[in-house]
């Protein structure tokens, strides 16, 4: 077994066994980790959104179509980059998938070098999306530690309100506002108000 790490995960969803085998042979030969599925339903039942991966799917399949699969992924807010395989008559349908966020589509028979280049682009996007997702998850985890009152105070700090104004808004004393501010800074691991704003507004704070 090769000790060289794989370049990334590629899901292939196609009800044509010959196409699945061809794509698996091609992409594994380029050192990608390939997982094949014969239907959209079987893919959805085993898809792990925590993996950095991309998806190559046929538009026309028995059962759930590629278009329906894309809709299901959109419903799940999946960041998975998608490329569709199309027949010559499916180009208008493929354009529709791109309007919904698909990265591209490839017509049968496809050129191997173009497909590999597409896969690399998709995995680059997947890595960026995964990083963004992780940052958002970390931010959400931090913000979830705040009490309802602390969240109200933070919302007003972000809006630029002064302690006295926050106290008046919430009907509490300035000392109570100051205590909440201190708790918020501690819970969000913020050293400065600038750090606090970056976390609250979704920008990564500097280490």
């Amino acid at each position: 077994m090769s000790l060289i790490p794989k370049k990334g995960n590629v899901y292939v969803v196609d009800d044509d066994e010959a196409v699945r085998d061809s794509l698996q042979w091609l992409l594994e030969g380029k050192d990608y980790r390939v997982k094949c599925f014969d239907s959209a339903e079987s893919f959805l039942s085993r898809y792990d959104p925590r993996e950095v991966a991309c998806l190559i799917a046929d538009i026309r399949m028995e059962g759930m179509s590629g278009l329906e699969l894309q809709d299901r992924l959109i419903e799940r807010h999946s960041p998975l980059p998608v490329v569709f395989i199309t027949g010559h008559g499916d180009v208008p349908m493929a354009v529709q998938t791109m309007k919904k966020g698909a990265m591209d589509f490839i017509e049968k028979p496809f050129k191997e070098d173009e497909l590999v280049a597409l896969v690399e682009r998709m995995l680059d996007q997947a890595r960026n999306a995964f990083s963004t997702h992780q940052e958002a998850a970390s931010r959400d985890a931090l913000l979830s530690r705040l009490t309802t009152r602390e969240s109200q105070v933070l919302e007003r700090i972000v809006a630029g309100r002064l302690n006295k104004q926050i106290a008046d808004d919430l009907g509490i004393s300035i000392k109570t506002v100051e205590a909440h501010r201190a708790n918020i800074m501690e819970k969000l691991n913020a050293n400065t108000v600038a750090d606090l704003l970056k976390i609250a507004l979704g920008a990564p704070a500097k280490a």
Side-chain angles (χ1 to χ4, degrees):
M1 182 183 291
S2 171
L3 296 178
I4 301 172
K6 299 288 183 183
K7 291 180 181 176
N9 295 306
V10 183
Y11 296 119
V12 174
V13 181
D14 199 307
D15 57 3
D16 185 327
E17 185 178 5
V19 173
R20 293 197 305 273
D21 289 347
S22 173
L23 287 170
Q24 184 164 17
W25 177 84
L26 168 64
L27 293 170
E28 286 186 345
K30 301 292 184 182
D31 209 32
Y32 295 102
R33 184 181 290 108
V34 182
K35 299 180 182 179
C36 293
F37 301 87
D38 61 5
S39 70
E41 292 88 346
S42 62
F43 164 71
L44 284 172
S45 70
R46 295 169 64 186
Y47 166 51
D48 184 351
R50 295 170 298 179
E51 286 189 334
V52 177
C54 65
L55 170 64
I56 300 171
D58 197 358
I59 279 193
R60 293 188 184 275
M61 293 185 284
E62 292 292 325
M64 187 187 298
S65 70
L67 279 171
E68 291 170 321
L69 170 58
Q70 184 183 28
D71 287 339
R72 293 290 181 88
L73 291 171
I74 291 170
E75 287 170 7
R76 295 185 182 189
H77 304 289
S78 167
L80 187 69
V82 184
V83 160
F84 285 99
I85 302 171
T86 71
H88 294 300
D90 296 333
V91 171
M93 201 184 301
V95 171
Q96 186 180 340
T97 69
M98 291 187 70
K99 288 179 179 177
K100 290 183 177 182
M103 278 193 68
D104 212 332
F105 63 89
I106 47 176
E107 286 189 83
K108 301 173 187 175
F110 45 81
K111 295 178 181 177
E112 293 183 358
D113 55 343
E114 290 180 2
L115 176 64
V116 172
L118 262 177
V119 165
E120 197 50 48
R121 275 175 49 210
M122 285 198 294
L123 287 171
D124 282 342
Q125 179 175 307
R127 292 179 194 107
N128 291 334
F130 186 76
S131 175
T132 301
H133 175 75
Q134 291 292 89
E135 288 171 2
S138 297
R139 170 180 171 270
D140 290 346
L142 285 174
L143 292 174
S144 70
R145 298 167 65 184
L146 302 181
T147 64
T148 300
R149 180 63 88 192
E150 287 165 354
S151 294
Q152 293 169 340
V153 171
L154 176 60
E155 184 181 322
R156 287 161 174 77
I157 293 171
V158 171
R161 306 284 283 169
L162 303 175
N163 283 359
K164 182 179 186 310
Q165 293 171 316
I166 296 172
D168 290 342
D169 289 345
L170 299 177
I172 56 180
S173 71
I174 293 177
K175 283 191 174 181
T176 302
V177 173
E178 290 170 348
H180 284 317
R181 282 184 77 125
N183 286 340
I184 292 166
M185 298 285 280
E186 182 179 349
K187 287 182 179 180
L188 299 187
N189 300 324
N191 296 317
T192 66
V193 174
D195 287 343
L196 193 65
L197 293 176
K198 287 175 184 175
I199 295 167
L201 296 172
K206 291 182 180 178

